[in-house]
Amino acid sequence: MGLFTSGLLWGGLTCLFLWAPATARAMDMKELCSEVGAAAGDYRFGESRQPLTLVSELIRDSRPGSPLRRMLCDELGKLLKSDASVEAKQFACRQLSEVGTGEDVPILSELLGDETLNHMACYALERIPDAAAGVALRQALPKVSGVELVGVINALGQRREMAAVGELLQRASHSDIVVAKAALDALGKIGGKEAIEGM
């Protein structure tokens, strides 16, 4: 019987997991993370947020670069590839925006063309410091359009992605005025001689 299908009270589970990573090492960390991820994936708007709170606390108390942190991020990635609710996937993106690394970029980049998750995927990618996130956003530019394209452009601006200046300059004269304005705004945030002279 899994951790979340047993009769254990949520309060007791929270106390137990807050001992991580020491307790997690004594248990099967992989199974623990899988159980936590599955519980978060079942979340629907209006339901108890306890599963999400537990995941947040586990992530907060895990050490950067630790096996537990990596396993939790991997579970969030699995959640994003599953048939979990939009609310659960938005939560996963938000968590990855705080602790994600270059290893999490590929799964997030797959969501850039998703109209319901583009915003949160962009939010995560603009905050992940790894250069791979900037590359993924740049590669998405010719693959998305409309609102999704604006989201990607905004994320590049937030990252101050200098390598994207040329591509943004091309879109500064886009036929869609919303896209063109987003590109100009992003160029303004990035700054630099090439961006300013090209505007």
Side-chain angles (χ1 to χ4, degrees), residues 18-156:
L18 285 178
W19 294 339
T23 299
R25 284 197 296 269
M27 301 170 65
D28 183 341
M29 282 199 299
K30 193 173 183 64
E31 180 181 358
L32 180 152
C33 293
S34 180
E35 294 276 2
V36 171
D42 289 337
Y43 172 75
R44 297 293 187 280
F45 182 75
E47 298 178 350
S48 170
R49 291 183 60 85
Q50 283 182 314
L52 308 188
T53 299
L54 183 55
V55 173
S56 297
E57 290 174 340
L58 267 173
I59 289 176
R60 181 196 65 202
D61 294 332
S62 63
R63 296 190 306 273
S66 68
L68 179 58
R69 172 71 64 84
R70 184 65 255 157
M71 288 181 188
L72 287 166
C73 287
D74 288 344
E75 287 303 322
L76 291 172
K78 291 177 184 177
L79 189 157
L80 290 175
K81 292 179 72 70
S82 73
D83 58 357
S85 68
V86 171
E87 298 96 324
K89 291 184 178 184
Q90 290 175 333
F91 167 77
C93 288
R94 191 173 296 109
Q95 294 301 304
L96 289 174
S97 77
E98 297 178 6
V99 298
T101 69
E103 293 183 60
D104 305 300
V105 168
I107 182 60
L108 288 166
S109 65
E110 292 179 15
L111 304 177
L112 293 175
D114 187 321
E115 62 181 12
T116 61
L117 294 169
N118 166 273
H119 175 69
M120 289 308 301
C122 285
Y123 178 68
L125 289 170
E126 75 183 37
R127 299 186 71 193
I128 292 176
D130 195 289
V135 173
L137 288 165
R138 289 175 54 208
Q139 292 178 339
L141 284 172
K143 302 176 183 177
V144 294
S145 60
V147 175
E148 288 75 42
L149 176 56
V150 171
V152 171
I153 290 173
N154 288 339
L156 286 166

Side-chain angles (χ1 to χ4, degrees), residues 152-168:
V152 171
I153 290 173
N154 288 339
L156 286 166
Q158 288 297 112
R159 286 183 62 86
R160 309 297 196 269
E161 196 69 32
M162 187 65 68
V165 167
E167 293 149 303
L168 292 174

